Amino acid sequence: MDLNYSPEDVAYRKQVRTWLEQNVPSSPPRTLEERKVWHRKLYEGGFLGMGWPKEYGGQGARPMEQAIVADEMARAAAPAPTNGLGLGIVGPTIVVHGNEWQKKRFLQKILTAEEMWCQLYSEPNSGSDLASLKTSAEDKGDHFMVNGQKIWTSGGKVADWGLLLARTDPKVPKHKGITCFLMSMRQPGVEVRPLKQITGSAEFCEVFMTNARVEKENQIGKLGEGWAIANTTLGYERGGRSLARISGYAAQYHRLVGAAKKLTRNGRPLMESPTVRQRLGKIWADLEVERYNALRVLTQLEKGEHPGAGGSLTKLSYSEFEKRFMEVAQEILGPYGQLTDGAPAELALEIDTAVGEMGTWAYGFLWSRAGTIYAGSSEIQKNVIGERILGLPKESRADRGGAR
Amino acid sequence: MNFSFSDDQVLLKNSARALLDEHCKPEHVRAMMDDKTGYGEPLWGEMAKLGWLGLPFPEQYGGAGLGLVELALIHEEMGRAAYPGPFLASVVLGGFPILLGGSAAQKEKWLPAIASGRARLSAALQEDRLDCDPAGVTTTAARAGDGWALTGVKRFVPWAHVADALLVPARGPEGLSLFLVDPKGAGAALKPVTGMDLTTRWSELRLDGARVGADALVGEAGGGGAILESTLRRAAVCASAEMLGAARRSLDMAVGYAKVREQFGQLIGTFQAIRHKCAEMLMEVENSHSAVYYAAWALEAGAEDAAVAASICKSYVSESARKVCGEAIQVHGGIGFTWEYDLHLYFKRAKSLEVQFGDAEYHRELIARHVSSAS
């Protein structure tokens, strides 16, 4: 056990920090075009697709180097690159499951943000029970014809392509009849409608597919393998960004302590109140425990081990933590925490929301409700932990009849 | 960066598990709960032979020269077995102050004696107030001849009834100092108290002008605070490791039970009410593991955040272990509430450690001080 960073890692961190100091734009990019400019700068700096093979435009970097870059970006409050799902989910899926032609055709353009991506998984009636999805892809000889509706599609508005899960065989048990496709979003059969969330902004969309077309060459993996592929891609959403996430929380936490020194109640600063100190002390302990967890995950990744179901523990822990953190922030800030506009500078928070506008404490609080729902709700994670780590017996489920 | 155990550390953990599985079964724990001294000499001797009792001491003093991560591993296994005995008291509370602040003569006298199991030590860290902040010590040390006369009352002194010497913090003209006191000596009186965890023994120590020689002073006169704080941090982490072991044992028992117990014609582990509870318990246990071994490493390596890491560890694990051990009883239902079933051994062990070396509230205040100056 040695939790010091190696001299190489320390040197690399310094190099990244220097690059960021010289290149982070002084005013955050607001429009998609401005974000793409920043995105390309990051790409040219060698900070995107870090874990992808070099022959497809990646860097072939170690997990630790990826974590350091993400962490330094969080510390420098550098804007995130655009095309997050392309970088985070679609690219890694193509790297692992795509064929040579698909890798050459798609990967580079994800890295340069020439082609923007979204993920077409969830449906109105298939949330936690994703495998029950109904969108169909019918084999028409030279192509597949897609019909159905997707929901919770991040970045659907700007996407050129979508990573699609669709049912290709309705006769076999539900987990076996799903196939994974790359579908062009720029076609008449695809309609995208923004979906306004409780934050008031619309990061998500609904996508309606009516006789939409998917070329045969854009099928990922074999027919009926889509569920297995989706399960590995859900894993990509966890792990690599772990350290950066914690540094983001830490920056917000220090803002909160600053606010607690300024705000007063009963004639004295909140930071002098024992109950506030207890709450803040507990949150810092929880936050640091999440950082230690991230270091454990990084250790595994560095050894070439996949966290597997352990990723469910990490996700459950940090997403539940984020809710507790944001609740405490609201308790401390009182009505100031609810301001979406007009907060005094020393009480305001500026966080990146990935839709071009800056977030507030109010936004962070509302957004914290998403983490325990997306990418497998906390309840789903607990089922996975119970069955796959603790080996508890599976519950009898109505949909498993004949499927196994 | 490597947050995993080395082969040697895994070996040590396995050998600790093997020894305690054989010699510290629940029957042994229960026998010691009824025993007057509360621990068994044969197992104590085995632990000395394996080098556990001198684990963190340099080899020149009969120690194994290992670090806090290894010490935490042993403590986790002891918590898992609900080991009854003065291990933490002697090695950590007794050993570290002498190791960190003692004179050459004190080290030569006491460290080999602790390591060989010949001597048992402990420390009197608590007084009437509930916290263990060195700043609040009221026991006094007055100059008397060559030495000192100590007066005050110490509470909840672990394993004092079997200790050959106690480390006693007392306030003198130079400030807070640490003294080695013979609990059976003149002017000192021990009164055992009984807590609900019978695998831990506490006594009240009354010092009424108890005389100690000049050679009883550990460290400089007035220099006790720093030694005490360092020792408390190590004790907090080792106690957390024990709580972690108790929690993991409780979780294992709950999961094992959920796999065999049937109600409504099904294994109760199929019910999400049970499964989700077990998943939450595992999350708490793994988070506690992170907290314990991060803090152990940080203290050993002298990391910048070592002090706050110890407070994070103790505050987190204190609540988490209580929750996990308690939920294990809930998963078991009625049988978990019986004296005959072993769950209460771990539940009570965790509960007793929760209030020692600073409870969650005490450590959260230390964390708040840290972040307030850092933000």
Side-chain angles (χ1 to χ4, degrees):
Chain A
M1 181 170 302
D2 177 9
L3 302 178
N4 281 314
Y5 290 93
S6 72
E8 293 78 35
D9 292 339
V10 173
Y12 185 66
R13 192 181 273 278
K14 210 171 149 190
Q15 184 192 325
V16 174
R17 189 168 296 183
T18 308
W19 189 93
L20 288 170
E21 278 163 10
Q22 290 164 353
N23 288 281
V24 171
S26 49
S27 66
R30 304 273 167 184
T31 65
L32 181 61
E33 271 324 298
E34 284 171 8
R35 292 186 82 88
K36 281 187 177 177
V37 169
W38 166 238
H39 179 109
R40 285 188 194 115
K41 208 163 198 178
L42 282 171
Y43 172 62
E44 282 152 21
F47 301 129
L48 300 184
M50 291 190 66
W52 305 5
K54 284 189 174 168
E55 61 224 85
Y56 309 116
Q59 302 292 326
R62 288 184 298 121
M64 178 56 84
E65 291 170 323
Q66 299 170 49
I68 287 172
V69 168
D71 191 31
E72 282 300 318
M73 285 184 62
R75 283 161 188 258
T82 185
N83 214 9
L85 283 165
L87 295 169
I89 307 279
V90 183
T93 302
I94 295 175
V95 167
V96 176
H97 302 284
N99 60 35
E100 191 58 26
W101 179 84
Q102 289 164 339
K103 290 178 191 176
K104 290 218 166 78
R105 163 66 187 79
F106 291 106
L107 290 176
Q108 180 86 24
K109 290 193 162 136
I110 292 174
L111 292 174
T112 57
E114 273 173 84
E115 288 174 346
M116 303 286 284
W117 284 79
C118 66
Q119 182 188 19
L120 303 162
Y121 279 19
S122 296
E123 297 182 6
N125 290 316
S126 301
S128 284
D129 185 11
L130 180 60
S132 71
L133 59 88
K134 296 265 185 324
T135 294
S136 65
E138 195 184 331
D139 193 337
K140 288 289 182 186
D142 65 331
H143 72 281
F144 287 91
M145 190 172 76
V146 180
N147 281 286
Q149 184 194 345
K150 296 289 179 180
I151 195 169
W152 301 119
T153 308
S154 316
K157 270 186 296 187
V158 297
D160 304 298
W161 288 86
L163 179 68
L164 170 74
L165 287 183
R167 188 161 303 282
T168 43
D169 188 349
K171 293 186 200 74
V172 297
K174 63 177 182 180
H175 297 89
K176 313 260 181 177
I178 299 169
T179 303
C180 185
F181 298 103
L182 311 175
M183 183 180 78
S184 168
M185 300 290 286
R186 308 294 188 195
Q187 56 168 311
V190 175
E191 190 199 342
V192 180
R193 294 183 203 156
L195 178 68
K196 199 167 175 177
Q197 317 127 204
I198 63 174
T199 55
S201 54
E203 278 118 347
F204 297 105
C205 300
E206 293 177 287
V207 177
F208 298 83
M209 290 151 295
T210 314
N211 297 335
R213 188 181 167 99
V214 172
E215 302 307 325
K216 282 268 164 112
E217 65 199 20
N218 291 337
Q219 175 186 323
I220 295 276
K222 297 203 182 87
L223 272 179
E225 273 189 354
W227 180 249
I229 292 172
N231 268 317
T232 59
T233 61
L234 282 177
Y236 299 139
E237 291 194 62
R238 302 160 204 152
R241 284 198 31 80
S242 46
L243 264 189
R245 183 177 299 116
I246 311 308
S247 297
Y249 293 148
Q252 294 173 26
Y253 179 88
H254 292 305
R255 296 280 302 162
L256 184 60
V257 173
K261 288 175 179 173
K262 300 246 162 40
L263 288 167
T264 61
R265 202 193 284 269
N266 302 324
R268 57 178 190 172
L270 288 185
M271 203 56 208
E272 289 172 19
S273 147
T275 55
V276 168
R277 294 174 74 81
Q278 282 293 309
R279 281 178 201 166
L280 283 171
K282 178 165 169 52
I283 289 296
W284 185 250
D286 290 358
L287 192 157
E288 280 290 277
V289 167
E290 295 304 328
R291 185 169 70 85
Y292 311 155
N293 285 341
L295 298 178
R296 282 173 76 185
V297 172
L298 261 177
T299 297
Q300 277 188 305
L301 294 173
E302 282 279 288
K303 289 181 175 173
E305 297 163 10
H306 195 274
S312 291
L313 272 176
T314 316
K315 197 256 175 180
L316 176 66
S317 191
Y318 79 67
S319 60
E320 294 289 343
F321 161 75
E322 186 174 322
K323 279 201 297 205
R324 293 197 302 277
F325 175 25
M326 285 299 139
E327 279 163 10
V328 168
Q330 287 292 323
E331 284 168 18
I332 287 173
L333 295 160
Y336 291 103
Q338 299 189 19
L339 292 176
T340 57
D341 188 28
E346 70 268 25
L347 302 179
L349 177 72
E350 286 214 326
I351 49 174
D352 204 357
T353 64
V355 285
E357 60 213 58
M358 294 312 272
T360 56
W361 284 113
Y363 177 93
F365 168 66
L366 294 169
W367 181 252
S368 73
R369 305 302 313 187
T372 55
I373 299 172
Y374 65 60
S377 66
S378 288
E379 289 68 28
I380 292 295
Q381 306 301 345
K382 288 178 197 173
N383 279 343
V384 171
I385 293 163
E387 284 181 16
R388 289 174 50 200
I389 303 181
L390 296 174
L392 287 167
K394 289 184 197 301
E395 63 194 311
S396 55
R397 270 168 34 181
D399 62 354
R400 279 213 177 108
R404 301 159 51 78
Chain B
M1 170 66 59
N2 181 6
F3 201 149
S4 63
F5 298 127
S6 69
D7 291 347
D8 284 348
Q9 287 166 340
V10 172
L11 215 62
L12 179 72
K13 185 183 173 74
N14 291 345
S15 86
R17 174 79 55 98
L19 181 85
L20 294 168
D21 274 352
E22 192 186 338
H23 296 291
C24 192
K25 295 186 170 71
E27 304 88 84
H28 171 77
V29 176
R30 286 168 182 274
M32 291 304 109
M33 284 158 64
D34 294 332
D35 186 84
K36 193 158 174 280
T37 57
Y39 79 105
E41 275 295 336
L43 182 51
W44 190 250
E46 284 295 320
M47 292 178 357
K49 244 187 272 172
L50 285 170
W52 295 3
L53 298 181
L55 192 121
F57 308 153
E59 287 171 23
Q60 66 179 115
Y61 301 116
L66 293 173
L68 269 173
V69 172
E70 286 83 1
L71 193 58
L73 279 170
I74 298 274
H75 276 286
E76 182 182 345
E77 290 305 316
M78 288 186 169
R80 196 177 182 281
Y83 163 74
F87 181 80
L88 190 153
S90 195
V91 178
V92 180
L93 302 183
F96 274 114
I98 293 170
L99 184 64
L100 296 168
S103 65
Q106 285 166 336
K107 286 181 191 171
E108 270 158 37
K109 176 176 178 192
W110 289 108
L111 296 182
I114 295 171
S116 67
R118 270 183 287 124
R120 284 146 302 257
L121 271 68
S122 186
L125 302 171
Q126 243 173 308
E127 298 187 345
D128 283 339
R129 73 213 148 77
L130 284 173
D131 66 82
C132 58
D133 192 336
V137 170
T138 59
T139 297
T140 56
R143 290 271 182 191
D146 280 356
W148 310 76
L150 308 182
T151 302
V153 180
K154 302 287 185 180
R155 307 268 185 205
F156 309 107
V157 187
W159 299 95
H161 67 298
V162 294
D164 298 284
L166 298 175
L167 272 297
V168 176
R171 199 165 294 283
E174 294 88 354
L176 187 66
S177 305
L178 265 184
F179 299 92
L180 278 159
V181 175
D182 176 1
K184 293 169 196 76
L190 281 180
K191 188 177 117 195
V193 294
T194 309
M196 64 181 166
D197 171 28
L198 295 171
T199 68
T200 300
R201 301 297 169 95
W202 283 327
S203 297
E204 175 194 295
L205 170 69
R206 276 181 188 275
L207 298 167
D208 187 10
R211 295 288 289 268
V212 295
D215 60 352
L217 178 69
V218 176
E220 303 285 312
I227 303 170
L228 209 50
E229 278 177 1
S230 296
T231 302
L232 271 166
R233 283 178 201 132
R234 284 160 175 76
V237 173
C238 290
S240 299
E242 277 193 31
M243 290 188 277
L244 166 63
R248 212 181 265 286
R249 176 68 163 259
S250 297
L251 169 64
D252 289 350
M253 289 175 72
V255 169
Y257 191 71
K259 289 177 183 174
V260 296
R261 168 74 169 174
E262 285 188 24
Q263 288 288 276
F264 306 103
Q266 292 183 63
L267 295 170
I268 62 168
T270 60
F271 301 133
Q272 291 192 345
I274 299 295
R275 188 159 16 143
H276 287 192
K277 204 183 277 298
C278 291
E280 287 161 19
M281 290 158 73
L282 178 66
M283 183 185 79
E284 291 298 341
V285 166
E286 290 300 334
N287 284 352
S288 296
H289 174 106
S290 299
V292 165
Y293 290 102
Y294 184 92
W297 170 81
L299 283 171
E300 185 62 37
E304 255 176 52
D305 62 344
V308 72
S311 285
I312 287 167
C313 170
K314 185 62 168 56
S315 67
Y316 192 92
V317 181
S318 287
E319 295 197 337
S320 159
R322 179 218 303 158
K323 182 177 164 194
V324 171
C325 295
E327 291 288 57
I329 294 176
Q330 184 69 20
V331 168
H332 279 78
I335 187 139
F337 191 67
T338 63
W339 186 266
E340 187 188 354
Y341 208 76
D342 292 330
L343 271 177
H344 69 107
L345 306 181
Y346 315 109
F347 181 66
K348 291 171 182 171
R349 171 61 76 90
K351 190 69 196 153
S352 112
L353 290 165
E354 187 186 326
V355 297
Q356 295 182 66
F357 321 120
D359 60 6
E361 186 172 327
Y362 171 76
H363 284 287
R364 281 202 289 259
E365 169 55 29
L366 294 187
I367 297 168
R369 277 181 218 169
H370 168 86
V371 295
S372 184
S373 62
S375 292

